[in-house]
Structure formats: C-alpha cells, structure tokens
Amino acid sequence: MSDSIAILTEAELRRSVGLDSEALAAVAEAFAALGRGGVVMPPILRLDIVEKNGEMDVKTAYVPGLDSFALKLSTGFFDNPKLGLPSLSGMMTLVSAHTGRVEAVMLDNGYLTDIRTALAGALAADRLARPDAAVAGILGTGLQARLQLEALRLVRKIDRALVWGRDAAKATAYAAEMSERFGIPVQAADAETVVRTADIVVTTTPSRTPLVYAEWLHPGLHVTAMGSDAEDKNEIAPAALAHADLLVVDRRSQCERLGELHHALAAGALKPDHPVVELGQIVAGLAPGRPGPEAVTLCDLTGTGVQDTAIALYAARKAAAEGAGTRI
C-alpha cells in the first residue's frame, strides 16, 4: 500500500484515455452495476452562479467491488467562449474505497467528463438505436457535439450526418470539419430537418427552450438528450417524451428532478407512474431495449457519478500501466 498520490495532468490523461471500445466497456459495466443495484450515489450537489452564467456540479458514486471511487468537480461557465476559453472545466480525485485515502488527483480540466459523457451517448445508441441506423443528427456545435458523433461511430456504421446550431456559421464550420475528419458527408440544416432525416439524434446544448418536438419524431428514430442536467435546461418538448414508445433515463430519481423527464412531468405530459426504464437495467440484461424496428426510443441522460468513478478508475489504471503521472 502506497501513501503517495498520483498527479495526472490533462495532457497525460489525453494520451492515456480516448473514445475507444475499451473505455466504452468500462462505462458500460458501471451502468450495469447501477442497474443491478447496490451502488451508493448521492444526489448531485450544484452551485449556480447566475450573474456569471455559470454553475458547478459535484458528483460521486461508490460501486461495491471496486477498489476506488471518484469525487468529481465539474464547472460550466457558458460565456467563456467570449473570453476564448472552453465552457466546461473541472477535475477528479480518486479515493480508496478501503481506507478513504486520496489515490490520485486528475487535473483534466473536464476532459474525462467529456469522454464519459460521449461514451454514455454511444452506449445509449448501442442499446436503443436500430442496428442499421446510419444517419446521425446532432443538435449543437460545441465540443460535445463533436465527441458524440465520434462516439456514435463506435457502435453504428454512420455514413452521413446532419447538424444544427443556433449560429449558422458554426454549424457550417462543424459540417466541414466533421466531413473532412470522418470522410462522410455532413451538412448543416434546420433542427426540424435534422430530426426528421436522422436515424439517431443527439442533443448537446444547454438550451432552456425545447429544440425537438413530438411532430418531428418518426418511426425507427432514436433520440439521446444530453444537455438537460439542471432544472431550467430543456431540449425536448414534453409531448415528445409522451410520444416515445420506450423512454429511458440514466437515473430515474435524478431525471425526475432535473432532466427532460422533469419537464414532461411538470407539464402534465406524463403521469407520475409513466413507464420509464433505466439504461443500466438494459445494459445489465434486466430490461429489454428497443421494442422493434419501427419504435421511437428516447433516452434522457443527465450524467451520473457512477460514470465518473468508472472513467477515473479506468484512467488511473491506464496511466499507471504507461508510467504516466507524478507521485507526491
């Protein structure tokens, strides 16, 4: 047993951890553990700094059987791009589940959060999208919009994509960049066209007004909503959740408080006893996934502490195997 602490920088973590099948498997196992039960995961602690258009979230989860758990601090200051800074930042610490001693401090500036969020989107698509889904639709043009398209390619043969953004110039730039990067046609379009055309839609914005409406949903579509991680954020119109043949969430109690599910319940579009399945239950084999090829499926992901524990533990192991980090 070592008393030293590993300090890992963003650059070191970027070299050790990426969007690949190995990292996806680590996140999938964490969701399965959540689905099986026994995970200790307290509600998110959030601090709002309204006058700065900012927020800070603190997440954690203990997974029985794992040697460590993560404590993650994540910030979102959404005016940062005006200053030439990314909107998201943060750090993670890894703590021994046996002694409570800090084992690692990961100065990732939000990188690991970005990765685990993209991998959750891939996991949702893997379990819920049609096997032959090939057209991706992305709402948003930021970093997560880029990572989500990349992550989708881990689980489906995406041969075309459409993107919408509030800033048309950014949407056009995104389309050109992603088309060149992946060698597939990517085009900018209005939100309705994106949703009506795509097989898989991923929403990646901090929007406070709906971007996706029930009348746009079509047979065979899967939608993953990533952006609603606070009570006032809302990307999916409440009626759209009622329209889904299968409604999936990462954690029901959490989504009832701050996800798209929260808005649908508050608006009366869904009754409190509406059938909702947790993604972890599907991953663990305790609940079925997509009902059939014509079904409309919708997954509400608000981000869970169990994902942070999974990615932090995975990153620590990868970094150690590669000799990365500084021990103090």
Side-chain angles (χ1 to χ4, degrees):
M1 183 180 298
S2 173
D3 286 333
S4 64
I5 299 173
I7 307 297
L8 291 159
T9 66
E10 179 184 354
E12 290 169 327
L13 291 164
R14 284 182 178 273
R15 288 193 291 268
S16 298
V17 179
L19 290 176
D20 55 37
S21 57
E22 188 179 5
L24 178 61
V27 171
E29 179 50 40
F31 269 103
L34 191 61
R36 289 191 291 265
V39 169
V40 181
M41 191 171 71
I44 298 169
L45 169 65
R46 192 176 82 251
L47 171 68
D48 290 312
I49 306 174
V50 177
E51 62 269 28
K52 300 297 184 182
N53 194 20
E55 63 188 35
M56 181 187 73
D57 293 335
V58 178
K59 298 180 181 180
T60 188
Y62 164 66
V63 181
L66 296 187
D67 291 331
S68 310
F69 62 92
L71 178 68
K72 194 272 292 288
L73 179 155
S74 178
T75 60
F77 279 64
F78 300 106
D79 291 335
N80 275 3
K82 299 174 185 177
L83 305 174
L85 298 171
S87 297
L88 304 181
S89 188
M91 60 177 287
M92 293 191 183
T93 59
L94 195 64
V95 181
S96 169
H98 301 288
T99 67
R101 302 278 293 181
V102 175
E103 297 176 323
V105 177
M106 302 180 183
L107 305 173
D108 69 315
N109 293 316
Y111 174 69
L112 294 179
T113 295
D114 292 334
I115 291 296
R116 64 79 148 151
T117 301
L119 291 170
L123 184 63
D126 188 43
R127 297 307 197 271
L128 297 170
R130 296 194 329 265
D132 62 346
V135 181
I138 307 294
L139 300 187
T141 59
L143 175 60
Q144 196 56 224
R146 287 164 167 76
L147 293 177
Q148 287 292 334
L149 181 56
E150 181 179 354
L152 284 178
R153 290 167 57 83
L154 293 174
V155 299
R156 291 295 184 273
K157 185 175 174 54
I158 301 298
D159 57 25
R160 181 187 173 204
L162 297 92
V163 61
W164 168 87
R166 293 190 189 280
D167 186 322
K170 289 182 179 180
T172 300
Y174 174 102
E177 177 189 337
M178 295 295 100
S179 181
E180 180 177 0
R181 181 176 178 185
F182 297 124
I184 61 173
V186 182
Q187 66 185 85
D190 61 85
E192 182 175 356
T193 299
V194 171
V195 176
R196 288 187 182 276
T197 304
D199 301 320
I200 304 171
V201 169
V202 186
T203 64
T204 69
T205 78
S207 180
R208 288 170 169 77
T209 56
L211 304 174
V212 175
Y213 294 90
E215 57 267 28
W216 299 353
L217 306 182
H218 55 86
L221 175 65
H222 170 68
V223 177
T224 297
M226 306 292 308
S228 184
D229 58 358
E231 290 87 344
D232 59 342
K233 295 179 183 178
N234 182 204
E235 297 181 294
I236 313 296
L241 275 75
H243 188 80
D245 298 297
L246 175 64
L247 179 57
V248 179
V249 297
D250 50 10
R251 187 66 156 177
R252 179 163 187 157
S253 59
Q254 186 167 293
C255 291
E256 287 177 337
R257 183 167 64 88
L258 49 78
E260 302 296 346
L261 179 59
H262 155 72
H263 292 285
L265 291 170
L270 297 180
K271 295 181 179 180
D273 61 351
H274 186 87
V276 176
V277 178
E278 292 192 355
L279 180 59
Q281 295 174 310
I282 297 174
V283 177
L286 302 176
R290 166 170 283 277
E294 298 298 301
V296 173
T297 56
L298 193 150
C299 187
D300 181 14
L301 298 180
T302 51
T304 62
V306 74
Q307 294 166 248
D308 298 312
T309 286
I311 200 67
L313 189 55
Y314 172 76
R317 289 171 176 167
K318 288 279 287 186
E322 296 168 6
T326 302
R327 302 201 73 89
I328 61 171

